[in-house]
Amino acid sequence: GVLLVSELKPSEGGLDVVTPAGARLSIKKDALAELDYAKGKLDPLSELEAVIVARSNLSEEEEPDQTHVFKNTNLDKGPITLGGVVYASGLAVKPYTELTYDLKGEYRELSMLVGIDDKVSASGATILVVEGDGKEITTVKIDSKDKVRFKPLNVNIKDVQKLKLIIKADGLFDVSRHLDLADAKVSK
């Protein structure tokens, strides 16, 4: 059968879950067939269509959107890895890139882990600017010198029609900089 849950957390040998009605249950690992986070409530950014504007001040690339935005891999086409944790879903993006998503006001929250991939060398700082309908919502800056090179991001995007993510270098040069947007998703 299918069980709708509003919360879940790992437990010894399975999961502890809370249903939307508030019932608390423990489910053993062998009773679990699959976890489906989707069903229209949550969409990974890597699966949504974006209008991409990509350019670099250092190169004359023919098709920069194909060399600036990587879906569900890091820049080296390996798994997205932040702080030793591997993320199956997300984007790896080189500056300068703008990603615009037409959300039609259907989502409430944008969440992700923003960081510099463990396995990809980087120097300097990179900035993510999140805009909703042309207004800045938040900015995250990650520097390759930071001890912890990733930060969680959770922002309210209620009623936002056009969500824009801008990835830019903090400095003159775009080279050897990038950001992973690990587990980046919008939820309703």
Side-chain angles (χ1 to χ4, degrees):
V2 173
L3 179 67
L4 291 174
V5 300
S6 53
E7 287 175 50
L8 59 87
K9 59 177 188 272
S11 65
E12 286 294 311
L15 289 173
D16 287 338
V17 302
V18 180
T19 69
R24 295 178 180 279
L25 304 167
S26 287
I27 301 172
K28 297 279 173 263
K29 270 202 181 82
D30 54 11
L32 279 172
E34 70 175 313
L35 295 173
D36 184 353
Y37 290 97
K39 290 287 178 273
K41 290 276 187 222
L42 187 153
D43 288 304
L45 289 189
S46 57
E47 291 179 21
L48 293 180
E49 283 298 312
V51 175
I52 300 171
V53 175
R55 63 177 185 272
S56 168
N57 59 21
L58 289 173
S59 62
E60 298 297 318
E61 295 168 61
E62 288 297 303
E63 298 178 58
D65 56 331
Q66 291 176 13
T67 56
H68 280 59
V69 182
F70 296 73
K71 291 184 177 185
N72 302 326
T73 71
N74 67 19
L75 298 187
D76 293 340
K77 304 229 170 40
I80 293 171
T81 311
L82 294 173
V85 177
V86 172
Y87 295 87
S89 169
L91 300 168
V93 190
K94 295 196 293 192
Y96 174 91
T97 303
E98 295 176 5
L99 299 162
T100 304
Y101 297 90
D102 185 6
L103 299 184
K104 301 178 176 63
E106 292 173 2
Y107 296 90
R108 297 179 66 86
E109 186 183 53
L110 167 71
S111 63
M112 66 182 77
L113 201 59
V114 183
I116 294 172
D117 198 276
D118 293 356
K119 305 274 196 318
V120 181
S121 63
S123 65
T126 311
I127 296 167
L128 167 68
V129 180
V130 179
E131 290 182 357
D133 297 327
K135 294 188 207 58
E136 188 174 313
I137 297 173
T138 191
T139 298
V140 180
K141 180 175 170 180
I142 308 285
D143 195 306
S144 59
K145 294 192 282 292
D146 293 342
K147 275 195 177 62
V148 177
R149 302 194 322 174
F150 55 88
K151 293 175 186 163
L153 173 79
N154 288 289
V155 292
N156 180 346
I157 54 166
K158 190 175 177 301
D159 301 326
V160 167
Q161 301 289 320
K162 296 269 195 281
L163 175 71
K164 184 184 280 191
L165 306 179
I166 302 167
I167 293 87
K168 60 185 182 180
D170 176 32
L172 295 176
F173 301 109
D174 294 337
V175 74
S176 72
R177 294 161 199 245
H178 72 282
L179 283 177
D180 284 352
L181 311 181
D183 196 24
K185 57 187 179 288
V186 285
S187 45
K188 292 184 178 177

